[in-house]
Amino acid sequence: MNSNVAQHRWWHGAVLYQLYVRSWLDTNGDGYGDLGGVIDRLDYLSWLGVDGIWLSPTMPSPDDDWGYDVSDYLGVHPDLGTIDDMDRLIAEAGKRGLRVLLDLVPNHTSSAHPWFVDATGSRGAGHRDFYVWADPGPGGGPPNNWLDATGGSAWAWHEPTGQYYLHNFLASQPDLNWWEPAVHAAFDEILRFWLDRGVAGFRIDVAHGLYKDAKLRDNPPETATGPMAGKFGQKPVYNANQPEVHAVYRDWRRIAASYPDARLLLGETWVGDLSLLARFYGDDDELQLAFNFPFVFAALTAPDLSGVVAETLASLPAGACPVWTASNHDVGRFPSRWCGGDERKIRLALLALATLPGTMVLYYGDEIGMTDVDVPLELQQDAMSRGAGNGWRGNRDRARTPMQWDSAATAGFTAEQVTPWLPVGDNAAVNVASQRDDPGSVLRFCRGLLSLRQAELGGQIAGYQALPGPPGLWAYRSGSLTVLGNFSGRPVVCPHPVGAVLLSTIGPAQPAAGGITLAPWQGIMARNPDAELGD
Ligand code: NOJ
Ligand code: CA
């Protein structure tokens, strides 16, 4: 990769790290992580080998949805710090070569945002059309059948002005009306405000959802099943997923491109159809990265993972950079969902994530194998999952607990006498302090893996080639590497030749007649055999 490309496409082959600020490190003893805590541990992130951090929401918010209900897009939440702290964070990260992405929430605001407060003043209010208002349906009641994220009607009645407003999430998160040009102008300014301050770009919340059907037609019943199917029996055809959203990303891409160093747009593109996912890349003129939820929800089996990877790579336009991640603050942690806490599986999953061509996104704690925490109902803080009944797979707080820095009662997240905002998980062995000094730990494995990835794959976004193999084996070439993974509980013999073995997830690579024998859940990274170098 020449340096010009590296500068302009720095996310190619990069490792991004999703950092849930409230749970990272509390430096002022209030039980919440803060920007001071992020600054304090930048050296850890450099040591680990990540290239950029995505900060979970940092803007002022009443926290009905922990920052995804923004009341001021140009500020910093007082619990987390000040705008000066943010400037300092961006500068300190920059000194270490780390880029900072902010979480941008354009689908909805908080009902406490001054735009919504104004909009509710009267039907003629200046910001009325910033939101989606509608008269009651023909028989009275909500204008249509759309449901919100908790399974109730997506419409809230506003008595003083005699209309309903739309909320695809909580009633205190009114949806913005992207048919209104002034909303576009407002967000253009918001993007520039932060880009001017030096952020490297944005993770865009609900990136598929900004536009709603102009005719407000009823959603049809859901016929599909599985984790990507519409919730509550309804297929979200009309209250999201409208094609007009692509023009917004073309505009934002132009804004990003107007800055001298490359700025990144990474979408939370919650779509089950990979051909629709591909559309968010546009003709290399929309988002540069789009999260791949079919991959997140694939089972940890060779056919499922290799199938989604093949379909993804076949669907994305040439030159598009795939994104591989498996944990986040909504879907939970892969060491639990995929691995049931089994360290062999955790290492194998990390190996796959790190060797697929594209961008890898780690969630804080993935690198030490942090698992979900069974947060009791009375300690849960997430109104959406508490109120949603069957709407979410368990509670979302399970994956938002404090980063486990050490084995103390408060995990080194906050002072011993302070109660963290969410309880600490099982940190006896799963913590940074003990793993950092243990060459056999998951943390040291992950760090070594990221370093090999950087050295061997660099900025690679293509060059994947699946290899056939016996059941349980997922084998592929990725650039100059051959990766072998045994996704089964029985030994498998891999028939393919490999060059020098660079890393094994567990134990040594065992040569056998006819190939290499992989122990249950063992993975191996090797160089390609000489004859196939450069394929
Ligand atoms: C997706 C975010 O990741 C989630 O946490 C939030 O509740 C919804 N969008 C609404 O903003
Ligand atoms: Ca704090």
Side-chain angles (χ1 to χ4, degrees), residues 59 73 75 83 102 190-199:
M59 297 166 192
Y73 287 93
I83 194 96
L102 297 189
I190 292 163
L191 260 74
R192 289 202 177 89
F193 176 86
W194 290 110
L195 293 171
D196 286 344
R197 298 194 99 87
V199 306

Side-chain angles (χ1 to χ4, degrees), residues 65 68 108 169 203 205-206 268 329-330 384 396 400:
D65 188 13
Y68 287 104
H108 47 265
F169 294 90
R203 175 267 188 185
D205 190 58
V206 197
E268 188 214 12
H329 63 292
D330 296 326
M384 203 176 293
R396 299 193 297 180
R400 301 177 180 184

Side-chain angles (χ1 to χ4, degrees), residues 18 300 392:
Q18 181 189 354
L300 191 74
W392 298 88

Side-chain angles (χ1 to χ4, degrees), residues 149-402:
T150 71
S153 170
W155 296 95
W157 176 245
H158 186 247
E159 179 65 34
T161 57
Q163 280 190 310
Y164 284 89
Y165 68 85
L166 178 70
H167 58 89
N168 271 332
F169 294 90
L170 299 173
S172 56
Q173 294 171 292
D175 276 58
L176 284 160
N177 172 22
W178 280 88
W179 296 102
E180 165 59 44
V183 170
H184 293 238
F187 271 86
D188 289 356
E189 288 310 305
I190 292 163
L191 260 74
R192 289 202 177 89
F193 176 86
W194 290 110
L195 293 171
D196 286 344
R197 298 194 99 87
V199 306
F202 304 95
R203 175 267 188 185
I204 301 161
D205 190 58
V206 197
H208 55 291
L210 272 47
Y211 274 87
K212 285 82 194 176
D213 180 46
K215 294 188 187 143
L216 305 182
R217 282 170 282 190
D218 276 356
N219 277 329
E222 181 57 278
T223 49
T225 53
M228 294 305 294
K231 293 201 200 102
F232 312 111
Q234 193 171 97
K235 195 175 171 66
V237 170
Y238 293 118
N239 62 335
N241 302 311
Q242 301 300 296
E244 287 80 5
V245 77
H246 296 288
V248 175
Y249 299 136
R250 285 193 289 274
D251 287 346
W252 290 5
R253 182 69 178 271
R254 277 191 287 273
I255 292 175
S258 71
Y259 285 78
D261 46 347
R263 310 295 173 103
L264 172 63
L265 304 173
L266 161 60
E268 188 214 12
T269 39
W270 191 282
V271 293
D273 177 339
L274 289 164
S275 66
L276 290 179
L277 181 70
R279 290 191 54 188
F280 285 91
Y281 290 84
D283 187 13
D284 193 17
D285 59 354
E286 297 190 26
L287 307 180
Q288 297 102 328
L289 297 178
F291 272 121
N292 182 339
F293 286 97
F295 176 81
V296 172
F297 290 120
L300 191 74
T301 67
D304 269 42
L305 291 172
S306 63
V308 177
V309 167
E311 195 185 336
T312 301
L313 298 177
S315 302
L316 295 195
C321 181
V323 186
W324 311 109
T325 191
S327 305
N328 74 28
H329 63 292
D330 296 326
V331 304
R333 297 181 175 279
F334 81 75
S336 289
R337 191 182 63 258
W338 269 354
C339 310
D342 184 332
E343 196 180 309
R344 298 170 306 170
K345 299 181 186 176
I346 294 170
R347 289 166 180 256
L348 182 59
L350 285 168
L351 173 66
L353 287 165
T355 52
L356 292 170
T359 304
M360 171 187 188
V361 185
L362 282 171
Y363 186 49
Y364 80 102
D366 279 350
E367 73 276 23
I368 54 172
M370 253 174 89
T371 48
D372 289 342
V373 178
D374 190 12
V375 180
L377 191 63
E378 66 276 13
L379 296 181
Q380 287 179 26
Q381 303 280 350
D382 176 27
M384 203 176 293
S385 57
R386 279 181 68 134
N390 62 358
W392 298 88
R393 288 157 292 275
N395 72 76
R396 299 193 297 180
D397 290 318
R398 71 199 190 285
R400 301 177 180 184
T401 60

Side-chain angles (χ1 to χ4, degrees), residues 49-65:
V50 311
D51 302 288
I53 52 180
W54 147 31
L55 302 177
S56 55
T58 50
M59 297 166 192
S61 161
D63 289 327
D64 287 1
D65 188 13

Side-chain angles (χ1 to χ4, degrees), residues 25-34 79:
L25 183 68
D26 173 21
T27 57
N28 65 347
D30 64 358
Y32 292 114
D34 42 54
D79 285 357

